């Protein structure tokens, strides 16, 4: 009985249902993602490309990098502090997130924590009524810039350090202050830095991370081991020339020197989406020192190509000076840096080319054609070949008139559906000019040979996890790039 009703129901419905299905099949759908995928917040983070770190505290006044914890709070007196100037500097450098050292290893707190008096409260600055975290948050809000915080786990001042329970309670209490009272915080930074003679203690990272996620929904947690953003394994600002956003979190631990190589390159078989951040200072030190000056523009560009150009974020430290301002030389260098990047990337010679590809998913009208690599969407429109296409997948640019003169090739994957490309090669007029492994959100090839003049550029994907999805390609001219000291005309 039951079975009969069931068959009748099927017969009645099968006909119209089939028609609806076949119509649907004609609308080409995006390919399945290849896991793991970024979270919403990780994807937003990736698109920032460059973020700013501000190392500021008692060390700014004592000419040191690692304070002892015995500093007199009276040394902290940035009489001209103006967070608007910091934020303007960042905004003009195209930076949308600024991370402040709310507390460094010396334990001095830049906000009036109620759990310690080793803070701005006992400093002469604003007669003890100042709050640097609040000043940054207010200034950033006015310019639509996001804020992140660093709260050093290692604390050389607080007597609870070395006592697991009481120090972890203290640390969690401060996390609650910072994440409850200052609005939306987009990144929190934990590191494993610790002096050789520091007392032995364990940090309750699991408790810390849970608390952070509870208090801030769109935050990314940075540490050697994530859970959202991983360290790149060095402080030079250089990612591995192979750099996967994927890694196995279970193979990572915080403050473990034997994993730096793994952090630098990631893992093509990694189960977790955990992209890398490259922290480096615009100067030699992290804190401001009168004797130091910013790195040269060519060094900053080298860092950019080796971090952003290798699928990573550049966390650029720009330390305010003892007046409480970012020094004019640093402001100037940052402006030069941004203006150089704009000069290089605002003109895409590929726009003046005809484009061809080995194949495209779903045919001409399907929306997955090679022309997608030239639109302004760098995530959700892309060229993808047919899945059953045999041989290597390739995309080719052919100059429409005069020829192409460039020295930088930019490739971007639609990482919203997973990082895929494992190996790619670039040919110019039939000659191999560059090759690489991973691409990810952005891969920049700055040509070692210098400028090339060409008619045809072909990018071949030699190996990938599933079909490649390429969201953007650029052929650019970098007038600041002079390999082997050679001057380009
Ligand atoms: C630190 O603590 C761990 C775990 O309790 C122990 O194995 C190690 O020997 C200690 N190290 C020092 C320097 O006390
Ligand atoms: C450091 O990492 C290595 C490699 O993953 C691992 O074997 C070792 O147990 C880790 N050490 C600590 C202290 O976590
Ligand atoms: C990471 O995990 C995957 C899946 O379990 C495994 O195939 C791969 O070998 C792991 N990578 C490392 C370095 O252990
Ligand atoms: C800090 O930078 C500002 C802006 O360039 C400058 O006016 C001030 O003199 C600097 N302070 C110190 C101590 O160098």
């Amino acid at each position: 009985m039951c079975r009969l009703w069931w068959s009748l129901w099927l017969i009645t419905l099968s006909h119209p249902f089939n028609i609806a299905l076949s119509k649907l099949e004609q609308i080409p759908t995006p390919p399945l993602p290849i896991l793991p995928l970024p979270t919403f917040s990780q994807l937003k983070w990736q698109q920032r490309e460059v973020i700013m770190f501000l190392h500021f505290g008692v060390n700014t006044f004592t000419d040191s990098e690692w304070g002892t914890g015995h500093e007199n709070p009276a040394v902290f007196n940035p009489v001209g502090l103006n967070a608007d100037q910091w934020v303007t500097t960042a905004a003009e450098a195209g930076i949308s997130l600024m991370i402040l050292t709310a507390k460094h290893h010396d334990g001095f707190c830049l906000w009036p924590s109620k759990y310690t008096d080793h803070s701005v409260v006992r400093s002469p600055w604003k007669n003890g009524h100042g709050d640097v975290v609040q000043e940054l948050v207010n200034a950033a809000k006015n310019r639509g810039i996001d804020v992140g915080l660093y709260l050093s786990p290692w604390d050389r001042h607080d007597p609870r350090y070395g006592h697991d329970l009481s120090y972890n309670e203290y640390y969690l209490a401060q996390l609650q202050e910072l994440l409850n009272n200052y609005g939306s915080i987009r990144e929190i930074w934990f590191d494993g830095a610790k002096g050789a003679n520091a007392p032995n203690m364990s940090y309750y990272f699991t408790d810390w991370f849970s608390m952070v996620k509870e208090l801030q929904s769109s935050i990314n947690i940075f540490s050697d081991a994530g859970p959202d953003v991983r360290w790149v394994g060095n402080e030079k600002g250089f990612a591995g020339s192979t750099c996967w956003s994927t890694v196995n979190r279970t193979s990572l631990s915080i403050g473990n020197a034997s994993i730096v190589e793994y952090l630098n390159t990631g893992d093509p078989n990694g189960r977790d989406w955990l992209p890398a951040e490259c922290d480096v200072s615009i100067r030699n030190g992290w804190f401001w020192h009168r004797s130091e000056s910013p790195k040269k523009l060519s060094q900053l560009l080298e860092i950019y190509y080796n971090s952003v150009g290798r699928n990573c974020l550049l966390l650029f430290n720009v330390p305010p000076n003892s007046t409480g301002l970012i020094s004019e030389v640093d402001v100037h260098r940052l402006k030069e840096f941004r203006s150089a990047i704009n000069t290089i990337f605002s003109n895409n010679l590929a726009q003046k080319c005809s484009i061809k590809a080995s194949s495209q998913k779903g045919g001409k009208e399907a929306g997955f054609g090679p022309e997608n690599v030239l639109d302004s969407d760098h995530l959700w429109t892309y060229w993808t070949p047919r899945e059953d296409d045999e041989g290597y997948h390739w995309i080719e640019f052919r100059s429409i008139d005069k020829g192409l003169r460039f020295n930088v090739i930019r490739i971007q994957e639609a990482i919203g559906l997973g990082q895929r490309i494992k190996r790619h090669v670039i040919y110019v007029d039939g000659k191999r000019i560059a090759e690489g492994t991973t691409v990810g959100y952005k891969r920049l090839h700055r040509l070692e040979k210098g400028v090339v003049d060409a008619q045809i550029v072909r990018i071949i994907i030699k190996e990938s996890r599933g079909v490649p999805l390429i969201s953007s390609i650029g052929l650019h001219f970098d007038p600041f790039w002079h390999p082997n000291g050679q001057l380009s005309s």
Side-chain angles (χ1 to χ4, degrees):
M1 186 63 186
C2 196
R3 186 176 284 235
L4 180 66
W5 277 110
W6 178 237
S7 317
L8 279 175
W9 183 81
L10 268 184
I11 290 161
T12 324
L13 280 176
S14 61
H15 182 63
F17 188 64
N18 270 344
I19 287 175
L21 201 68
S22 61
K23 266 193 182 155
L24 264 178
E25 272 167 1
Q26 286 167 6
I27 303 168
T29 46
L32 284 179
I34 293 183
L35 302 184
L37 300 182
T39 64
F40 182 85
S41 298
Q42 286 171 324
L43 206 48
K44 182 142 174 63
W45 168 91
Q46 187 89 49
Q47 292 170 278
R48 296 181 190 273
E49 297 202 352
V50 184
I51 56 192
M52 191 183 276
F53 215 166
L54 298 151
H55 274 68
F56 188 55
V58 286
N59 296 343
T60 309
F61 300 85
T62 59
D63 203 22
S64 48
E65 284 285 299
W66 278 8
T68 60
H70 302 297
E71 290 79 11
N72 185 340
V75 302
F76 186 82
N77 196 16
V79 289
L81 189 145
N82 178 2
D84 289 331
Q85 189 249 9
W86 305 354
V87 169
T88 303
T89 302
E92 286 175 356
I95 290 172
S96 64
L97 171 66
M98 301 169 77
I99 303 179
L100 173 69
T101 54
K103 180 184 88 167
H104 204 251
H105 311 325
D106 52 74
F108 181 81
C109 299
L110 295 185
W111 82 102
S113 172
K114 73 177 178 200
Y115 303 104
T116 179
D117 62 355
H118 195 57
S119 75
V120 282
V121 167
R122 283 181 53 229
S123 80
W125 179 58
K126 299 201 165 181
N127 294 317
H129 296 294
D131 180 343
V132 186
V133 176
Q134 189 68 62
E135 302 236 352
L136 174 61
V137 164
N138 293 348
K141 197 168 188 175
N142 289 336
R143 291 290 298 244
I145 296 227
D146 294 321
V147 171
L149 295 171
Y150 166 69
L151 184 68
S152 170
W154 184 30
D155 187 321
R156 306 183 82 181
H157 176 83
D158 199 90
R160 284 164 281 202
Y161 194 85
H163 305 277
D164 283 2
L165 180 62
S166 57
Y167 183 75
N168 276 286
E169 280 187 359
Y170 174 61
Y171 193 89
L172 276 160
Q174 293 204 318
L175 269 183
Q176 289 169 63
E177 283 186 316
L178 291 172
L179 300 182
N180 268 328
N181 301 333
Y182 294 95
S184 178
I185 302 298
R186 296 305 177 89
E187 182 163 337
I188 186 135
W189 229 78
F190 298 111
D191 65 0
K194 194 170 169 174
N197 300 321
N200 203 354
M201 74 165 287
S202 33
Y203 302 135
Y204 299 171
F205 282 118
T206 312
D207 297 41
W208 300 4
F209 295 168
S210 304
M211 179 66 73
V212 169
K213 290 288 184 180
E214 174 186 23
L215 298 180
Q216 295 279 338
S217 62
S218 57
I219 202 165
N220 284 311
I221 300 177
F222 168 100
S223 84
D224 291 6
D228 303 310
V229 177
R230 74 175 196 261
W231 186 42
V232 77
N234 63 63
E235 295 188 336
K236 293 190 305 216
F238 286 11
S241 64
T242 294
C243 191
W244 290 94
S245 292
T246 51
V247 83
N248 290 337
R249 217 149 80 194
T250 49
S251 304
L252 303 177
S253 45
I254 299 176
N256 184 344
S258 62
I259 59 169
V260 293
E261 191 54 39
Y262 190 58
L263 288 171
N264 204 235
T265 59
D267 185 343
N269 302 311
R271 292 181 300 262
D272 304 292
W273 188 273
L274 192 43
E277 195 169 274
C278 304
D279 57 322
V280 66
S281 186
I282 191 169
R283 291 164 169 235
N284 191 38
W286 292 94
F287 286 88
W288 175 80
H289 304 283
R290 192 179 297 280
S291 59
E292 291 182 356
S293 43
K295 296 183 163 92
K296 291 186 298 197
L297 176 64
S298 58
Q299 287 174 289
L300 300 193
L301 289 173
E302 176 86 7
I303 289 169
Y304 181 85
Y305 280 105
N306 286 323
S307 55
V308 176
R310 289 178 172 179
N311 185 35
C312 290
L313 234 73
L314 170 54
L315 173 57
F316 213 6
N317 180 66
V318 185
N321 65 26
S322 57
T323 307
L325 295 169
I326 296 174
S327 303
E328 193 48 45
V329 277
D330 302 71
V331 173
H332 180 71
R333 189 52 43 82
L334 270 177
K335 274 192 187 147
E336 278 183 340
F337 172 65
R338 175 49 58 185
S339 136
I341 305 256
N342 291 347
T343 302
I344 300 163
F345 295 102
S346 58
N347 187 22
N348 183 1
L349 298 166
Q351 299 279 4
K352 297 182 195 130
C353 292
S354 62
I355 318 179
K356 239 170 49 180
S358 46
S359 72
Q360 66 188 66
K361 179 182 165 75
K364 281 270 178 275
E365 307 302 321
F368 300 108
E371 66 282 357
N372 288 338
V373 304
L374 294 181
D375 68 13
S376 58
D377 184 323
H378 291 176
L379 278 178
W380 298 107
T381 70
Y382 42 84
W383 161 64
T384 189
R386 276 201 340 248
E387 261 135 11
D388 59 358
D389 192 17
E390 283 173 10
Y392 294 132
H393 305 300
W394 53 261
I395 182 167
E396 186 180 274
F397 300 83
R398 197 174 277 259
S399 169
I400 289 167
D401 47 37
K402 293 196 307 259
L404 308 162
R405 187 174 164 71
F406 63 93
N407 54 9
V408 173
I409 298 156
R410 173 177 54 83
I411 313 175
Q412 301 191 231
E413 276 187 82
I415 58 163
L417 293 166
Q419 187 180 347
R420 297 166 179 238
I421 297 174
K422 287 182 161 175
R423 206 156 59 84
H424 61 286
V425 183
I426 301 161
Y427 286 86
V428 161
D429 294 340
K431 282 206 286 285
R432 176 188 290 236
I433 187 118
E435 60 192 316
T437 51
T438 48
V439 172
Y441 179 68
K442 185 175 276 189
R443 178 67 190 245
L444 299 174
H445 289 280
R446 189 167 59 165
L447 301 178
E448 287 303 327
K449 288 189 166 71
V451 183
V452 297
D453 289 289
Q455 291 293 331
I456 302 169
V457 178
R458 182 185 277 213
I459 299 173
I460 305 176
I461 311 305
K462 291 264 172 158
E463 215 182 317
S464 69
R465 301 167 67 225
V467 282
L469 313 179
I470 298 188
S471 62
S472 187
I473 291 178
L475 303 174
H476 304 280
F477 177 67
D478 177 345
F480 309 93
W481 174 230
H482 309 301
N484 314 320
Q486 152 208 338
L487 283 182
S488 64
S489 50

